[in-house]
Amino acid sequence: MTGTATTAGITAELHEARRLDWDGCLNVRDLGGLPTRDGRRTRTGAIVRADNLDRLTAEGQNAMLAHGVRTVIDLRDQTEYRPLLPTPDTVDLVRIPLDALAGPDWWARFGALDGTPLSFRPYLDHCRDAVARLVSAVAHARDGGVVVHCGAGRDRTGLAALVLLALADVEPAAIAEDYLLSAPNLRPLWTLLDLPDEEAGIARTLADAGTTADGALHQVLAEFDAAQWLPAADVAALRHRFLEGN
């Protein structure tokens, strides 16, 4: 991208300003500063998306705390947990295992779409209790910032970010742009783990469905109706936390 404004009102400078350097992690960014359809912006420091916080060094954890984070929401399954650095009493840890909560029937029907945004609409349609738990946890977290993370910070965290940003009425193009930032961030991870880059396989799955990641995201957002079935009080509390001018 260039430094000029895009149709979503986002510049390269804004993307760079949102990127957070937490030592030990590769894919961390603040969800603040994004434009909404009513002309407002999301609040900086309110919600952060991240990859595996288990990899944080002491320096990285200090950076997280300095950013104002007081609640960590871990979207991974129990089998993925690793010992964390000692967490201060000022930080709450909430576990919402999105994959496990989907259940075996969901995985049998839609598991082939995992790793792509094609899985997002089936998750929103069939895993509403899990989505509601996520929204409630963010909306009613203690004062301070909230960080939402999984393993790579792309798929489960990508779904979470899409839900939270859509409920704040962020411009769809801005939501899609935010999702697409993860792919280049994660290239060093595949090298570190001696694994092939997943993007080629993801692109093939999307191509087989006749779309792209950007196209799939816009389709999900065009049909997004979670605000209609989530508790109204939770949606209002989330918007109060997340939007400037509240």
Side-chain angles (χ1 to χ4, degrees), residues 80-130:
E80 300 174 79
Y81 299 164
R82 297 292 183 273
L84 293 166
L85 288 172
T87 303
D89 292 339
T90 54
V91 176
D92 293 337
L93 176 61
V94 182
R95 309 275 198 187
I96 304 176
L98 292 187
D99 282 354
L101 291 170
D105 290 344
W106 188 92
W107 283 98
R109 294 178 63 187
F110 305 109
L113 304 177
D114 186 42
T116 80
L118 294 170
S119 68
F120 289 178
R121 179 58 191 265
Y123 202 97
L124 289 168
D125 285 345
H126 299 284
C127 308
R128 292 185 173 186
D129 287 346

mmCIF file of all heavy atoms in Angstrom, residues 80-130:
data_model
loop_
_atom_site.group_PDB
_atom_site.id
_atom_site.type_symbol
_atom_site.label_atom_id
_atom_site.label_comp_id
_atom_site.label_asym_id
_atom_site.label_seq_id
_atom_site.Cartn_x
_atom_site.Cartn_y
_atom_site.Cartn_z
ATOM 1 N N GLU A 80 -3.584 -26.802 23.489
ATOM 2 C CA GLU A 80 -2.602 -25.851 22.988
ATOM 3 C C GLU A 80 -1.979 -24.999 24.082
ATOM 4 O O GLU A 80 -1.017 -24.266 23.821
ATOM 5 C CB GLU A 80 -3.244 -24.923 21.966
ATOM 6 C CG GLU A 80 -3.825 -25.610 20.751
ATOM 7 C CD GLU A 80 -4.563 -24.626 19.858
ATOM 8 O OE1 GLU A 80 -3.901 -23.901 19.103
ATOM 9 O OE2 GLU A 80 -5.810 -24.583 19.942
ATOM 10 N N TYR A 81 -2.521 -25.067 25.291
ATOM 11 C CA TYR A 81 -2.031 -24.194 26.356
ATOM 12 C C TYR A 81 -0.593 -24.550 26.702
ATOM 13 O O TYR A 81 -0.204 -25.711 26.719
ATOM 14 C CB TYR A 81 -2.877 -24.326 27.626
ATOM 15 C CG TYR A 81 -4.332 -23.947 27.492
ATOM 16 C CD1 TYR A 81 -5.247 -24.336 28.461
ATOM 17 C CD2 TYR A 81 -4.797 -23.217 26.403
ATOM 18 C CE1 TYR A 81 -6.589 -24.010 28.352
ATOM 19 C CE2 TYR A 81 -6.133 -22.886 26.289
ATOM 20 C CZ TYR A 81 -7.027 -23.290 27.263
ATOM 21 O OH TYR A 81 -8.357 -22.974 27.160
ATOM 22 N N ARG A 82 0.177 -23.538 27.013
ATOM 23 C CA ARG A 82 1.529 -23.699 27.525
ATOM 24 C C ARG A 82 1.660 -22.798 28.753
ATOM 25 O O ARG A 82 0.910 -21.851 28.914
ATOM 26 C CB ARG A 82 2.569 -23.303 26.471
ATOM 27 C CG ARG A 82 2.540 -24.161 25.218
ATOM 28 C CD ARG A 82 3.001 -25.586 25.498
ATOM 29 N NE ARG A 82 3.047 -26.383 24.278
ATOM 30 C CZ ARG A 82 2.020 -27.052 23.773
ATOM 31 N NH1 ARG A 82 0.834 -27.010 24.380
ATOM 32 N NH2 ARG A 82 2.138 -27.750 22.671
ATOM 33 N N PRO A 83 2.638 -23.089 29.607
ATOM 34 C CA PRO A 83 2.792 -22.222 30.783
ATOM 35 C C PRO A 83 3.068 -20.779 30.378
ATOM 36 O O PRO A 83 3.909 -20.507 29.522
ATOM 37 C CB PRO A 83 4.006 -22.827 31.499
ATOM 38 C CG PRO A 83 4.078 -24.241 31.018
ATOM 39 C CD PRO A 83 3.591 -24.201 29.597
ATOM 40 N N LEU A 84 2.324 -19.870 30.933
ATOM 41 C CA LEU A 84 2.531 -18.452 30.693
ATOM 42 C C LEU A 84 3.551 -17.906 31.673
ATOM 43 O O LEU A 84 3.801 -18.489 32.735
ATOM 44 C CB LEU A 84 1.215 -17.686 30.874
ATOM 45 C CG LEU A 84 0.105 -17.953 29.868
ATOM 46 C CD1 LEU A 84 -1.212 -17.389 30.391
ATOM 47 C CD2 LEU A 84 0.435 -17.323 28.529
ATOM 48 N N LEU A 85 4.153 -16.801 31.310
ATOM 49 C CA LEU A 85 4.926 -16.069 32.305
ATOM 50 C C LEU A 85 3.988 -15.699 33.456
ATOM 51 O O LEU A 85 2.775 -15.587 33.260
ATOM 52 C CB LEU A 85 5.500 -14.784 31.696
ATOM 53 C CG LEU A 85 6.651 -14.947 30.696
ATOM 54 C CD1 LEU A 85 6.947 -13.607 30.046
ATOM 55 C CD2 LEU A 85 7.896 -15.468 31.389
ATOM 56 N N PRO A 86 4.512 -15.534 34.658
ATOM 57 C CA PRO A 86 3.625 -15.135 35.763
ATOM 58 C C PRO A 86 2.795 -13.921 35.366
ATOM 59 O O PRO A 86 3.320 -12.903 34.937
ATOM 60 C CB PRO A 86 4.604 -14.796 36.887
ATOM 61 C CG PRO A 86 5.816 -15.612 36.580
ATOM 62 C CD PRO A 86 5.909 -15.646 35.072
ATOM 63 N N THR A 87 1.479 -14.072 35.457
ATOM 64 C CA THR A 87 0.571 -12.994 35.059
ATOM 65 C C THR A 87 0.224 -12.147 36.276
ATOM 66 O O THR A 87 -0.223 -12.676 37.290
ATOM 67 C CB THR A 87 -0.717 -13.576 34.459
ATOM 68 O OG1 THR A 87 -0.361 -14.424 33.351
ATOM 69 C CG2 THR A 87 -1.619 -12.468 33.939
ATOM 70 N N PRO A 88 0.430 -10.852 36.202
ATOM 71 C CA PRO A 88 0.122 -10.000 37.351
ATOM 72 C C PRO A 88 -1.352 -10.085 37.747
ATOM 73 O O PRO A 88 -2.209 -10.407 36.922
ATOM 74 C CB PRO A 88 0.465 -8.596 36.845
ATOM 75 C CG PRO A 88 1.337 -8.800 35.655
ATOM 76 C CD PRO A 88 0.929 -10.098 35.049
ATOM 77 N N ASP A 89 -1.622 -9.778 39.006
ATOM 78 C CA ASP A 89 -3.004 -9.783 39.476
ATOM 79 C C ASP A 89 -3.856 -8.751 38.747
ATOM 80 O O ASP A 89 -5.086 -8.842 38.760
ATOM 81 C CB ASP A 89 -3.051 -9.489 40.980
ATOM 82 C CG ASP A 89 -2.450 -10.623 41.805
ATOM 83 O OD1 ASP A 89 -2.385 -11.748 41.270
ATOM 84 O OD2 ASP A 89 -2.064 -10.376 42.950
ATOM 85 N N THR A 90 -3.201 -7.805 38.096
ATOM 86 C CA THR A 90 -3.941 -6.766 37.385
ATOM 87 C C THR A 90 -4.446 -7.236 36.033
ATOM 88 O O THR A 90 -5.104 -6.477 35.309
ATOM 89 C CB THR A 90 -3.049 -5.529 37.175
ATOM 90 O OG1 THR A 90 -1.831 -5.936 36.539
ATOM 91 C CG2 THR A 90 -2.737 -4.866 38.507
ATOM 92 N N VAL A 91 -4.141 -8.491 35.642
ATOM 93 C CA VAL A 91 -4.564 -9.020 34.336
ATOM 94 C C VAL A 91 -5.461 -10.234 34.538
ATOM 95 O O VAL A 91 -5.089 -11.189 35.213
ATOM 96 C CB VAL A 91 -3.351 -9.396 33.465
ATOM 97 C CG1 VAL A 91 -3.814 -10.040 32.151
ATOM 98 C CG2 VAL A 91 -2.493 -8.173 33.172
ATOM 99 N N ASP A 92 -6.653 -10.197 33.945
ATOM 100 C CA ASP A 92 -7.563 -11.341 33.951
ATOM 101 C C ASP A 92 -7.284 -12.212 32.740
ATOM 102 O O ASP A 92 -7.044 -11.691 31.639
ATOM 103 C CB ASP A 92 -9.017 -10.871 33.909
ATOM 104 C CG ASP A 92 -9.443 -10.142 35.173
ATOM 105 O OD1 ASP A 92 -8.815 -10.367 36.216
ATOM 106 O OD2 ASP A 92 -10.404 -9.352 35.094
ATOM 107 N N LEU A 93 -7.357 -13.531 32.898
ATOM 108 C CA LEU A 93 -7.202 -14.475 31.805
ATOM 109 C C LEU A 93 -8.520 -15.211 31.599
ATOM 110 O O LEU A 93 -9.036 -15.847 32.518
ATOM 111 C CB LEU A 93 -6.085 -15.477 32.102
ATOM 112 C CG LEU A 93 -5.869 -16.593 31.077
ATOM 113 C CD1 LEU A 93 -5.491 -16.022 29.708
ATOM 114 C CD2 LEU A 93 -4.794 -17.560 31.567
ATOM 115 N N VAL A 94 -9.084 -15.107 30.394
ATOM 116 C CA VAL A 94 -10.361 -15.733 30.051
ATOM 117 C C VAL A 94 -10.117 -16.711 28.911
ATOM 118 O O VAL A 94 -9.516 -16.353 27.891
ATOM 119 C CB VAL A 94 -11.401 -14.677 29.612
ATOM 120 C CG1 VAL A 94 -12.730 -15.339 29.297
ATOM 121 C CG2 VAL A 94 -11.559 -13.604 30.680
ATOM 122 N N ARG A 95 -10.572 -17.954 29.061
ATOM 123 C CA ARG A 95 -10.405 -18.965 28.022
ATOM 124 C C ARG A 95 -11.746 -19.180 27.303
ATOM 125 O O ARG A 95 -12.751 -19.491 27.938
ATOM 126 C CB ARG A 95 -9.969 -20.291 28.631
ATOM 127 C CG ARG A 95 -8.775 -20.217 29.570
ATOM 128 C CD ARG A 95 -7.463 -20.269 28.856
ATOM 129 N NE ARG A 95 -6.369 -20.628 29.753
ATOM 130 C CZ ARG A 95 -5.088 -20.620 29.429
ATOM 131 N NH1 ARG A 95 -4.726 -20.288 28.205
ATOM 132 N NH2 ARG A 95 -4.150 -20.961 30.306
ATOM 133 N N ILE A 96 -11.734 -19.025 25.987
ATOM 134 C CA ILE A 96 -12.917 -19.297 25.163
ATOM 135 C C ILE A 96 -12.436 -20.128 23.974
ATOM 136 O O ILE A 96 -12.065 -19.574 22.923
ATOM 137 C CB ILE A 96 -13.604 -18.001 24.696
ATOM 138 C CG1 ILE A 96 -13.966 -17.118 25.893
ATOM 139 C CG2 ILE A 96 -14.876 -18.330 23.899
ATOM 140 C CD1 ILE A 96 -14.557 -15.770 25.514
ATOM 141 N N PRO A 97 -12.409 -21.458 24.102
ATOM 142 C CA PRO A 97 -11.820 -22.321 23.063
ATOM 143 C C PRO A 97 -12.739 -22.467 21.843
ATOM 144 O O PRO A 97 -13.563 -23.382 21.774
ATOM 145 C CB PRO A 97 -11.627 -23.644 23.797
ATOM 146 C CG PRO A 97 -12.708 -23.661 24.842
ATOM 147 C CD PRO A 97 -12.870 -22.224 25.276
ATOM 148 N N LEU A 98 -12.587 -21.582 20.882
ATOM 149 C CA LEU A 98 -13.528 -21.528 19.767
ATOM 150 C C LEU A 98 -13.594 -22.836 18.985
ATOM 151 O O LEU A 98 -14.684 -23.249 18.562
ATOM 152 C CB LEU A 98 -13.165 -20.377 18.825
ATOM 153 C CG LEU A 98 -13.346 -18.950 19.361
ATOM 154 C CD1 LEU A 98 -13.105 -17.947 18.243
ATOM 155 C CD2 LEU A 98 -14.734 -18.741 19.965
ATOM 156 N N ASP A 99 -12.461 -23.485 18.759
ATOM 157 C CA ASP A 99 -12.487 -24.734 17.988
ATOM 158 C C ASP A 99 -13.258 -25.821 18.727
ATOM 159 O O ASP A 99 -14.111 -26.503 18.144
ATOM 160 C CB ASP A 99 -11.066 -25.218 17.709
ATOM 161 C CG ASP A 99 -10.400 -24.441 16.569
ATOM 162 O OD1 ASP A 99 -11.073 -23.612 15.933
ATOM 163 O OD2 ASP A 99 -9.196 -24.689 16.321
ATOM 164 N N ALA A 100 -12.970 -25.994 20.015
ATOM 165 C CA ALA A 100 -13.658 -27.032 20.793
ATOM 166 C C ALA A 100 -15.138 -26.735 20.910
ATOM 167 O O ALA A 100 -15.982 -27.641 20.840
ATOM 168 C CB ALA A 100 -13.029 -27.161 22.177
ATOM 169 N N LEU A 101 -15.476 -25.462 21.065
ATOM 170 C CA LEU A 101 -16.886 -25.089 21.215
ATOM 171 C C LEU A 101 -17.681 -25.311 19.933
ATOM 172 O O LEU A 101 -18.905 -25.436 19.977
ATOM 173 C CB LEU A 101 -16.991 -23.632 21.656
ATOM 174 C CG LEU A 101 -16.516 -23.338 23.086
ATOM 175 C CD1 LEU A 101 -16.438 -21.840 23.324
ATOM 176 C CD2 LEU A 101 -17.432 -24.000 24.107
ATOM 177 N N ALA A 102 -17.004 -25.379 18.794
ATOM 178 C CA ALA A 102 -17.710 -25.650 17.542
ATOM 179 C C ALA A 102 -18.319 -27.049 17.550
ATOM 180 O O ALA A 102 -19.406 -27.261 17.005
ATOM 181 C CB ALA A 102 -16.762 -25.493 16.355
ATOM 182 N N GLY A 103 -17.629 -28.006 18.151
ATOM 183 C CA GLY A 103 -18.156 -29.362 18.255
ATOM 184 C C GLY A 103 -17.834 -30.224 17.049
ATOM 185 O O GLY A 103 -17.547 -29.724 15.952
ATOM 186 N N PRO A 104 -17.875 -31.549 17.217
ATOM 187 C CA PRO A 104 -17.486 -32.475 16.137
ATOM 188 C C PRO A 104 -18.372 -32.392 14.896
ATOM 189 O O PRO A 104 -17.888 -32.598 13.779
ATOM 190 C CB PRO A 104 -17.571 -33.858 16.804
ATOM 191 C CG PRO A 104 -18.451 -33.661 18.009
ATOM 192 C CD PRO A 104 -18.203 -32.264 18.460
ATOM 193 N N ASP A 105 -19.662 -32.128 15.058
ATOM 194 C CA ASP A 105 -20.540 -32.043 13.889
ATOM 195 C C ASP A 105 -20.133 -30.884 12.987
ATOM 196 O O ASP A 105 -20.131 -31.008 11.750
ATOM 197 C CB ASP A 105 -22.002 -31.888 14.324
ATOM 198 C CG ASP A 105 -22.565 -33.149 14.960
ATOM 199 O OD1 ASP A 105 -21.942 -34.216 14.791
ATOM 200 O OD2 ASP A 105 -23.616 -33.059 15.625
ATOM 201 N N TRP A 106 -19.797 -29.747 13.613
ATOM 202 C CA TRP A 106 -19.361 -28.589 12.821
ATOM 203 C C TRP A 106 -18.094 -28.935 12.054
ATOM 204 O O TRP A 106 -17.978 -28.633 10.857
ATOM 205 C CB TRP A 106 -19.119 -27.379 13.725
ATOM 206 C CG TRP A 106 -18.868 -26.112 12.949
ATOM 207 C CD1 TRP A 106 -19.794 -25.189 12.559
ATOM 208 C CD2 TRP A 106 -17.603 -25.644 12.443
ATOM 209 N NE1 TRP A 106 -19.195 -24.172 11.863
ATOM 210 C CE2 TRP A 106 -17.853 -24.427 11.778
ATOM 211 C CE3 TRP A 106 -16.302 -26.130 12.506
ATOM 212 C CZ2 TRP A 106 -16.842 -23.694 11.168
ATOM 213 C CZ3 TRP A 106 -15.284 -25.408 11.885
ATOM 214 C CH2 TRP A 106 -15.556 -24.193 11.224
ATOM 215 N N TRP A 107 -17.143 -29.578 12.710
ATOM 216 C CA TRP A 107 -15.887 -29.917 12.056
ATOM 217 C C TRP A 107 -16.097 -30.909 10.925
ATOM 218 O O TRP A 107 -15.436 -30.823 9.883
ATOM 219 C CB TRP A 107 -14.883 -30.447 13.083
ATOM 220 C CG TRP A 107 -14.296 -29.317 13.869
ATOM 221 C CD1 TRP A 107 -14.657 -28.873 15.098
ATOM 222 C CD2 TRP A 107 -13.257 -28.437 13.429
ATOM 223 N NE1 TRP A 107 -13.924 -27.772 15.460
ATOM 224 C CE2 TRP A 107 -13.050 -27.486 14.460
ATOM 225 C CE3 TRP A 107 -12.485 -28.358 12.282
ATOM 226 C CZ2 TRP A 107 -12.097 -26.480 14.359
ATOM 227 C CZ3 TRP A 107 -11.518 -27.346 12.172
ATOM 228 C CH2 TRP A 107 -11.340 -26.431 13.201
ATOM 229 N N ALA A 108 -17.028 -31.833 11.095
ATOM 230 C CA ALA A 108 -17.312 -32.792 10.025
ATOM 231 C C ALA A 108 -17.884 -32.096 8.794
ATOM 232 O O ALA A 108 -17.584 -32.469 7.650
ATOM 233 C CB ALA A 108 -18.270 -33.862 10.527
ATOM 234 N N ARG A 109 -18.687 -31.073 9.008
ATOM 235 C CA ARG A 109 -19.342 -30.377 7.897
ATOM 236 C C ARG A 109 -18.471 -29.297 7.277
ATOM 237 O O ARG A 109 -18.476 -29.116 6.050
ATOM 238 C CB ARG A 109 -20.658 -29.752 8.374
ATOM 239 C CG ARG A 109 -21.723 -30.746 8.787
ATOM 240 C CD ARG A 109 -22.978 -30.024 9.280
ATOM 241 N NE ARG A 109 -23.590 -29.215 8.226
ATOM 242 C CZ ARG A 109 -24.614 -28.387 8.429
ATOM 243 N NH1 ARG A 109 -25.124 -28.248 9.639
ATOM 244 N NH2 ARG A 109 -25.128 -27.702 7.421
ATOM 245 N N PHE A 110 -17.722 -28.581 8.113
ATOM 246 C CA PHE A 110 -17.052 -27.376 7.625
ATOM 247 C C PHE A 110 -15.546 -27.352 7.859
ATOM 248 O O PHE A 110 -14.885 -26.366 7.522
ATOM 249 C CB PHE A 110 -17.667 -26.138 8.295
ATOM 250 C CG PHE A 110 -19.153 -26.028 8.134
ATOM 251 C CD1 PHE A 110 -20.005 -26.225 9.221
ATOM 252 C CD2 PHE A 110 -19.719 -25.757 6.896
ATOM 253 C CE1 PHE A 110 -21.382 -26.126 9.073
ATOM 254 C CE2 PHE A 110 -21.098 -25.659 6.743
ATOM 255 C CZ PHE A 110 -21.926 -25.844 7.829
ATOM 256 N N GLY A 111 -15.001 -28.437 8.400
ATOM 257 C CA GLY A 111 -13.583 -28.437 8.751
ATOM 258 C C GLY A 111 -12.657 -28.194 7.567
ATOM 259 O O GLY A 111 -11.558 -27.642 7.741
ATOM 260 N N ALA A 112 -13.071 -28.581 6.368
ATOM 261 C CA ALA A 112 -12.226 -28.370 5.192
ATOM 262 C C ALA A 112 -12.008 -26.894 4.884
ATOM 263 O O ALA A 112 -11.072 -26.534 4.156
ATOM 264 C CB ALA A 112 -12.840 -29.071 3.976
ATOM 265 N N LEU A 113 -12.851 -26.037 5.440
ATOM 266 C CA LEU A 113 -12.733 -24.591 5.210
ATOM 267 C C LEU A 113 -11.850 -23.913 6.246
ATOM 268 O O LEU A 113 -11.564 -22.718 6.125
ATOM 269 C CB LEU A 113 -14.120 -23.946 5.238
ATOM 270 C CG LEU A 113 -15.152 -24.515 4.273
ATOM 271 C CD1 LEU A 113 -16.491 -23.815 4.471
ATOM 272 C CD2 LEU A 113 -14.685 -24.395 2.827
ATOM 273 N N ASP A 114 -11.422 -24.648 7.267
ATOM 274 C CA ASP A 114 -10.613 -24.066 8.334
ATOM 275 C C ASP A 114 -9.332 -23.462 7.758
ATOM 276 O O ASP A 114 -8.727 -24.021 6.846
ATOM 277 C CB ASP A 114 -10.258 -25.144 9.358
ATOM 278 C CG ASP A 114 -9.540 -24.564 10.566
ATOM 279 O OD1 ASP A 114 -9.950 -23.492 11.045
ATOM 280 O OD2 ASP A 114 -8.564 -25.194 11.020
ATOM 281 N N GLY A 115 -8.938 -22.333 8.286
ATOM 282 C CA GLY A 115 -7.768 -21.633 7.780
ATOM 283 C C GLY A 115 -8.099 -20.590 6.738
ATOM 284 O O GLY A 115 -7.225 -19.847 6.295
ATOM 285 N N THR A 116 -9.360 -20.539 6.330
ATOM 286 C CA THR A 116 -9.800 -19.541 5.359
ATOM 287 C C THR A 116 -11.012 -18.794 5.911
ATOM 288 O O THR A 116 -11.732 -19.322 6.770
ATOM 289 C CB THR A 116 -10.221 -20.196 4.026
ATOM 290 O OG1 THR A 116 -11.555 -20.720 4.150
ATOM 291 C CG2 THR A 116 -9.281 -21.320 3.630
ATOM 292 N N PRO A 117 -11.266 -17.592 5.413
ATOM 293 C CA PRO A 117 -12.468 -16.873 5.872
ATOM 294 C C PRO A 117 -13.767 -17.506 5.398
ATOM 295 O O PRO A 117 -14.839 -17.065 5.815
ATOM 296 C CB PRO A 117 -12.277 -15.461 5.300
ATOM 297 C CG PRO A 117 -11.287 -15.597 4.205
ATOM 298 C CD PRO A 117 -10.408 -16.747 4.562
ATOM 299 N N LEU A 118 -13.686 -18.549 4.567
ATOM 300 C CA LEU A 118 -14.902 -19.275 4.196
ATOM 301 C C LEU A 118 -15.539 -19.968 5.396
ATOM 302 O O LEU A 118 -16.725 -20.287 5.369
ATOM 303 C CB LEU A 118 -14.581 -20.324 3.125
ATOM 304 C CG LEU A 118 -14.142 -19.791 1.760
ATOM 305 C CD1 LEU A 118 -13.631 -20.937 0.901
ATOM 306 C CD2 LEU A 118 -15.286 -19.055 1.073
ATOM 307 N N SER A 119 -14.763 -20.176 6.445
ATOM 308 C CA SER A 119 -15.304 -20.830 7.648
ATOM 309 C C SER A 119 -16.070 -19.868 8.544
ATOM 310 O O SER A 119 -16.783 -20.306 9.459
ATOM 311 C CB SER A 119 -14.165 -21.463 8.453
ATOM 312 O OG SER A 119 -13.323 -20.468 9.009
ATOM 313 N N PHE A 120 -15.963 -18.573 8.293
ATOM 314 C CA PHE A 120 -16.519 -17.607 9.240
ATOM 315 C C PHE A 120 -18.053 -17.628 9.250
ATOM 316 O O PHE A 120 -18.674 -17.599 10.309
ATOM 317 C CB PHE A 120 -16.017 -16.201 8.929
ATOM 318 C CG PHE A 120 -14.556 -15.967 9.236
ATOM 319 C CD1 PHE A 120 -13.963 -14.755 8.958
ATOM 320 C CD2 PHE A 120 -13.772 -16.961 9.810
ATOM 321 C CE1 PHE A 120 -12.629 -14.515 9.249
ATOM 322 C CE2 PHE A 120 -12.437 -16.740 10.097
ATOM 323 C CZ PHE A 120 -11.867 -15.513 9.809
ATOM 324 N N ARG A 121 -18.665 -17.638 8.070
ATOM 325 C CA ARG A 121 -20.127 -17.627 8.043
ATOM 326 C C ARG A 121 -20.710 -18.890 8.681
ATOM 327 O O ARG A 121 -21.650 -18.790 9.485
ATOM 328 C CB ARG A 121 -20.643 -17.440 6.612
ATOM 329 C CG ARG A 121 -22.188 -17.436 6.512
ATOM 330 C CD ARG A 121 -22.787 -16.325 7.389
ATOM 331 N NE ARG A 121 -24.216 -16.446 7.537
ATOM 332 C CZ ARG A 121 -25.109 -15.800 6.786
ATOM 333 N NH1 ARG A 121 -24.708 -15.005 5.796
ATOM 334 N NH2 ARG A 121 -26.394 -15.939 7.018
ATOM 335 N N PRO A 122 -20.199 -20.099 8.369
ATOM 336 C CA PRO A 122 -20.716 -21.284 9.067
ATOM 337 C C PRO A 122 -20.539 -21.207 10.578
ATOM 338 O O PRO A 122 -21.396 -21.680 11.328
ATOM 339 C CB PRO A 122 -19.904 -22.436 8.464
ATOM 340 C CG PRO A 122 -19.485 -21.949 7.125
ATOM 341 C CD PRO A 122 -19.282 -20.476 7.277
ATOM 342 N N TYR A 123 -19.443 -20.598 11.028
ATOM 343 C CA TYR A 123 -19.251 -20.475 12.477
ATOM 344 C C TYR A 123 -20.294 -19.534 13.073
ATOM 345 O O TYR A 123 -20.905 -19.838 14.106
ATOM 346 C CB TYR A 123 -17.840 -19.991 12.806
ATOM 347 C CG TYR A 123 -17.432 -20.342 14.226
ATOM 348 C CD1 TYR A 123 -16.680 -21.470 14.482
ATOM 349 C CD2 TYR A 123 -17.836 -19.562 15.310
ATOM 350 C CE1 TYR A 123 -16.329 -21.829 15.780
ATOM 351 C CE2 TYR A 123 -17.498 -19.907 16.602
ATOM 352 C CZ TYR A 123 -16.742 -21.040 16.835
ATOM 353 O OH TYR A 123 -16.421 -21.394 18.125
ATOM 354 N N LEU A 124 -20.527 -18.417 12.428
ATOM 355 C CA LEU A 124 -21.524 -17.474 12.938
ATOM 356 C C LEU A 124 -22.921 -18.074 12.927
ATOM 357 O O LEU A 124 -23.740 -17.795 13.811
ATOM 358 C CB LEU A 124 -21.500 -16.201 12.091
ATOM 359 C CG LEU A 124 -20.272 -15.300 12.264
ATOM 360 C CD1 LEU A 124 -20.222 -14.252 11.169
ATOM 361 C CD2 LEU A 124 -20.269 -14.648 13.634
ATOM 362 N N ASP A 125 -23.192 -18.923 11.950
ATOM 363 C CA ASP A 125 -24.519 -19.529 11.841
ATOM 364 C C ASP A 125 -24.745 -20.639 12.861
ATOM 365 O O ASP A 125 -25.853 -20.784 13.390
ATOM 366 C CB ASP A 125 -24.713 -20.117 10.434
ATOM 367 C CG ASP A 125 -24.949 -19.050 9.390
ATOM 368 O OD1 ASP A 125 -25.251 -17.898 9.767
ATOM 369 O OD2 ASP A 125 -24.824 -19.367 8.190
ATOM 370 N N HIS A 126 -23.709 -21.425 13.142
ATOM 371 C CA HIS A 126 -23.894 -22.662 13.911
ATOM 372 C C HIS A 126 -23.254 -22.646 15.302
ATOM 373 O O HIS A 126 -23.472 -23.590 16.068
ATOM 374 C CB HIS A 126 -23.345 -23.847 13.115
ATOM 375 C CG HIS A 126 -24.022 -24.052 11.797
ATOM 376 N ND1 HIS A 126 -25.277 -24.614 11.691
ATOM 377 C CD2 HIS A 126 -23.634 -23.737 10.525
ATOM 378 C CE1 HIS A 126 -25.623 -24.658 10.411
ATOM 379 N NE2 HIS A 126 -24.658 -24.129 9.690
ATOM 380 N N CYS A 127 -22.488 -21.633 15.628
ATOM 381 C CA CYS A 127 -21.762 -21.605 16.910
ATOM 382 C C CYS A 127 -22.061 -20.310 17.654
ATOM 383 O O CYS A 127 -21.161 -19.614 18.130
ATOM 384 C CB CYS A 127 -20.258 -21.762 16.669
ATOM 385 S SG CYS A 127 -19.820 -23.180 15.654
ATOM 386 N N ARG A 128 -23.337 -19.985 17.745
ATOM 387 C CA ARG A 128 -23.722 -18.692 18.301
ATOM 388 C C ARG A 128 -23.389 -18.563 19.777
ATOM 389 O O ARG A 128 -23.067 -17.461 20.247
ATOM 390 C CB ARG A 128 -25.211 -18.449 18.052
ATOM 391 C CG ARG A 128 -25.535 -18.240 16.583
ATOM 392 C CD ARG A 128 -26.988 -17.874 16.350
ATOM 393 N NE ARG A 128 -27.219 -17.518 14.953
ATOM 394 C CZ ARG A 128 -28.370 -17.052 14.479
ATOM 395 N NH1 ARG A 128 -29.408 -16.892 15.302
ATOM 396 N NH2 ARG A 128 -28.492 -16.743 13.205
ATOM 397 N N ASP A 129 -23.459 -19.639 20.526
ATOM 398 C CA ASP A 129 -23.123 -19.552 21.951
ATOM 399 C C ASP A 129 -21.665 -19.150 22.139
ATOM 400 O O ASP A 129 -21.341 -18.342 23.029
ATOM 401 C CB ASP A 129 -23.392 -20.887 22.650
ATOM 402 C CG ASP A 129 -24.871 -21.167 22.822
ATOM 403 O OD1 ASP A 129 -25.685 -20.238 22.645
ATOM 404 O OD2 ASP A 129 -25.228 -22.324 23.130
ATOM 405 N N ALA A 130 -20.774 -19.706 21.321
ATOM 406 C CA ALA A 130 -19.356 -19.357 21.423
ATOM 407 C C ALA A 130 -19.132 -17.890 21.068
ATOM 408 O O ALA A 130 -18.374 -17.176 21.739
ATOM 409 C CB ALA A 130 -18.531 -20.255 20.506
#
